[in-house]
Amino acid sequence: MTLPIYELFAVRYATRAARRAANFLGGDPHEAAMPMDYFVWAARSPERTIVIDTGFTRETAVRRKRDYLRDPVEGLAALGIDSASIRDVVITHLHYDHVGGFRSFPNAQFHVQDDEMRFSTGRHMCHARFNHGYDVADVEAMIRLAFSGRVTFHKGEAQLAPGISLHHIGGHTAGLQCVRVHTRRGWVVVASDTSHYYEHFETGRCFPTVFDVGATIEGYDTLHTLAESPAHVVPGHDPLVMKRYPAARDNLGDVAVRLDVAPEEALERSP
Ligand SMILES: [Zn+2]
């Protein structure tokens, strides 16, 4: 059986200023800017389109002081993807910036790891150290969606569709998962927050918001195993993603890029 080939996109919807020292556990000796971008992702074949994460809302951007560039569904719409028609949304973890836009997907089934629901509703949420990345309203909403049958729980590894699989990594949160997608350049891994930036998995360092450092570091090995090459790993928050990959369409250079095209190809095209 031949696997379907998916187009794969990253849609950038928000950004914020940050310093290098704030992006590494234990800090960083270099005093330099290291901004953070926010993305959702989409995989599309002739048979189906799967969205990975939902972003957050404009209200949340104001409350958390993020620079909101667009509603993620507007970015998806620019790619011809209608969020109301989406049947499957992978939620890599329940942090506000990954799940907060769930209302834009009224017909979707949400795919979540058992460990993530357990973690975000359990004892560790008593501590600001672990709860600050979650909005309790999102967690409550996911419980309600589970009661109405709209959450599919996964334990570890799962095949969502031919050519798309979910992989529990943990680390940053207990139930964090990444997504492996079969594309025309081979297996690409949407790492989400298993590696916020390229530098994290490239240098074996860790983002400061972390539940289990060991799982984070071991997770980098899993990313390497799942992906065709290191150039097939797409980090969750790195502005370099927008620089390394080509625009999804001519006028979308600042909105969406194609991840199913090798990043070298994109670099060769730039002056
Ligand atoms: Zn996160």
Side-chain angles (χ1 to χ4, degrees):
M1 194 189 84
T2 52
L3 286 171
I5 301 283
Y6 290 86
E7 298 175 289
L8 186 59
F9 304 101
V11 173
R12 176 179 181 248
Y13 71 91
T15 189
R16 73 173 168 87
R19 311 292 298 174
R20 286 188 61 84
N23 286 334
F24 296 96
L25 186 66
D28 184 88
H30 305 284
E31 188 46 53
M34 190 176 184
M36 177 177 282
D37 278 355
Y38 296 84
F39 299 96
V40 300
W41 303 270
R44 178 166 65 190
S45 75
E47 289 78 35
R48 60 177 59 84
T49 300
I50 289 169
V51 170
I52 302 165
D53 289 341
T54 67
F56 53 74
T57 63
R58 192 172 294 278
E59 298 76 62
T60 297
V62 171
R63 178 164 44 86
R64 290 195 181 244
K65 300 184 171 62
R66 306 297 189 239
D67 297 324
Y68 206 57
L69 304 171
R70 62 192 56 86
D71 190 314
V73 302
E74 289 168 16
L76 291 170
L79 301 171
I81 297 169
D82 170 19
S83 65
S85 73
I86 295 298
R87 310 301 266 181
D88 293 288
V89 173
V90 178
I91 301 293
T92 61
H93 59 309
L94 293 173
H95 275 170
Y96 78 97
D97 52 326
H98 297 262
V99 73
F102 68 91
R103 286 178 195 80
S104 301
F105 299 87
N107 296 302
Q109 196 69 15
F110 296 99
H111 295 268
V112 180
Q113 285 285 330
D114 280 342
D115 278 353
E116 186 62 12
M117 189 62 99
R118 201 176 293 130
F119 181 63
S120 61
T121 55
R123 61 190 305 136
H124 294 100
M125 295 303 106
C126 300
H127 308 289
R129 180 81 180 78
F130 302 120
N131 72 24
H132 75 94
Y134 294 93
D135 274 358
V136 66
D138 295 337
V139 177
E140 182 194 347
M142 275 299 126
I143 294 169
R144 291 183 183 279
L145 285 166
F147 271 67
S148 58
R150 286 189 54 212
V151 178
T152 300
F153 289 96
H154 298 281
K155 187 179 175 63
E157 191 174 315
Q159 181 168 299
L160 195 56
I164 296 197
S165 54
L166 314 178
H167 303 265
H168 175 230
I169 302 269
H172 170 65
T173 67
L176 174 63
Q177 59 185 342
C178 66
V179 185
R180 188 186 197 220
V181 181
H182 189 247
T183 72
R184 66 189 179 104
R185 68 170 171 127
W187 291 104
V188 175
V189 173
V190 176
S192 184
D193 292 2
T194 66
S195 190
H196 284 65
Y197 291 85
Y198 283 103
E199 277 191 63
H200 287 122
F201 78 86
E202 286 173 356
T203 65
R205 283 184 291 169
C206 192
F207 190 72
T209 300
V210 60
F211 176 62
D212 182 337
V213 174
T216 300
I217 302 300
E218 297 233 299
Y220 300 149
D221 292 342
T222 306
L223 295 179
H224 283 295
T225 303
L226 293 172
E228 204 91 14
S229 82
H232 288 70
V233 176
V234 183
H237 288 275
D238 199 327
L240 284 175
V241 169
M242 297 301 288
K243 293 200 168 70
R244 290 185 178 179
Y245 289 96
R249 286 184 189 165
D250 276 348
N251 56 344
L252 292 182
D254 198 42
V255 179
V257 291
R258 289 192 70 143
L259 305 172
D260 53 339
V261 176
E264 292 78 10
E265 289 176 41
L267 289 174
E268 276 164 21
R269 269 213 290 274
S270 61

